[in-house]
Amino acid sequence: GENVEQHPSTLSVQEGDSAVIKCTYSDSASNYFPWYKQELGKGPQLIIDIRSNVGEKKDQRIAVTLNKTAKHFSLHITETQPEDSAVYFCAASRGGSQGNLIFGKGTKLSVKP
Amino acid sequence: EAGVTQSPTHLIKTRGQQATLRCSPISGHTSVYWYQQALGLGLQFLLWYDEGEERNRGNFPPRFSGRQFPNYSSELNVNALELEDSALYLCASSSAPGAGPAFFGQGTRLTVV
């Protein structure tokens, strides 16, 4: 079955710097790769997703890249702000609607003012 | 607009008992997903309901079950509780097939003693 590895488990950056979180997956049939942000005491929130027919997607300060050959995808946050501090999860599945997302273990991002 | 709501927020049960967790999706969303977030294990997919039917199920024993009501709210039942069932149970909803779980509730913290 699918396995998703996420690195690093913790990441600390200075406000204004960039943050990069990387994930690798094992199932070459996976075609949907969402990223979630979980703030303390709240449920995860979808922040961006990418499908396998696209190599990169941007939304303001957030971007995700996908390398299907290497089976890895990354989240890039530029100009980080203290409110970006949270736990970020990557996930992969063969079809988003099926719900059977396989999640990474999460990255705790701390942005220091 | 109200988000995904879950009840209760906390639940304490004794080993062997049954637990019932409830979820109300965002208005207009027909799909409901259930996930277990256990310490150190990340998010694990439990169940997906759409239009009142169970569409997909994760690798959990049959004592984890649920249903979706005509108003699209959902219930997760866990029978014969075990200590290892202690976790945060998250419900998510989405509005269209292929969209995947987008909005999560704050979860129900189940503690089995």
Side-chain angles (χ1 to χ4, degrees):
Chain A
E2 174 68 282
N3 182 49
V4 176
E5 299 281 343
Q6 183 172 347
H7 299 281
S9 56
T10 59
L11 180 59
S12 182
V13 299
Q14 287 295 133
E15 182 177 0
D17 287 351
S18 295
V20 180
I21 303 170
K22 298 181 178 180
C23 290
T24 60
Y25 60 98
S26 60
D27 186 353
S28 57
S30 289
N31 58 8
Y32 177 66
F33 308 93
W35 286 88
Y36 294 85
K37 176 183 180 182
Q38 186 172 24
E39 296 176 328
L40 197 62
K42 297 183 179 180
Q45 179 183 356
L46 177 68
I47 55 172
I48 195 168
D49 58 12
I50 191 169
R51 297 188 185 271
S52 58
N53 58 345
V54 175
E56 183 175 2
K57 185 176 180 180
K58 287 184 179 180
D59 183 3
Q60 298 181 339
R61 297 186 296 107
I62 293 173
V64 58
T65 59
L66 171 65
N67 183 327
K68 288 188 293 182
T69 304
K71 289 191 281 188
H72 67 70
F73 56 113
S74 300
L75 178 71
H76 304 253
I77 305 174
T78 58
E79 301 172 21
T80 53
Q81 300 166 5
E83 49 266 38
D84 294 329
S85 296
V87 178
Y88 292 81
F89 293 94
C90 64
S93 80
R94 290 188 176 193
S97 65
Q98 296 180 23
N100 195 3
L101 291 170
I102 306 301
F103 282 83
K105 294 285 179 69
T107 296
K108 184 176 181 180
L109 173 64
S110 299
V111 180
K112 298 181 178 180
Chain B
E1 179 182 336
V4 177
T5 56
Q6 292 187 244
S7 63
T9 53
H10 293 82
L11 189 58
I12 299 175
K13 291 285 186 179
T14 304
R15 191 171 51 182
Q17 286 188 314
Q18 180 198 40
T20 298
L21 290 64
R22 296 179 177 83
C23 171
S24 292
I26 290 172
S27 178
H29 286 194
T30 62
S31 277
V32 170
Y33 306 85
W34 286 96
Y35 288 82
Q36 182 195 67
Q37 188 173 27
L39 201 61
L41 292 179
L43 288 115
Q44 309 274 330
F45 168 67
L46 272 164
L47 292 158
W48 169 41
Y49 292 95
D50 183 61
E51 297 285 358
E53 298 286 332
E54 182 180 303
R55 303 294 185 182
N56 199 8
R57 182 183 181 85
N59 293 326
F60 280 83
R63 57 191 188 82
F64 287 84
S65 65
R67 53 181 171 167
Q68 186 178 32
F69 300 99
N71 66 353
Y72 303 117
S73 67
S74 178
E75 195 173 88
L76 174 69
N77 294 294
V78 188
N79 294 320
L81 284 165
E82 300 179 0
L83 297 178
E84 307 80 67
D85 296 333
S86 295
L88 181 67
Y89 289 83
L90 292 161
C91 171
S93 71
S94 70
S95 58
F103 301 93
F104 281 79
Q106 291 186 284
T108 293
R109 173 71 63 184
L110 173 64
T111 302
V112 182
V113 297

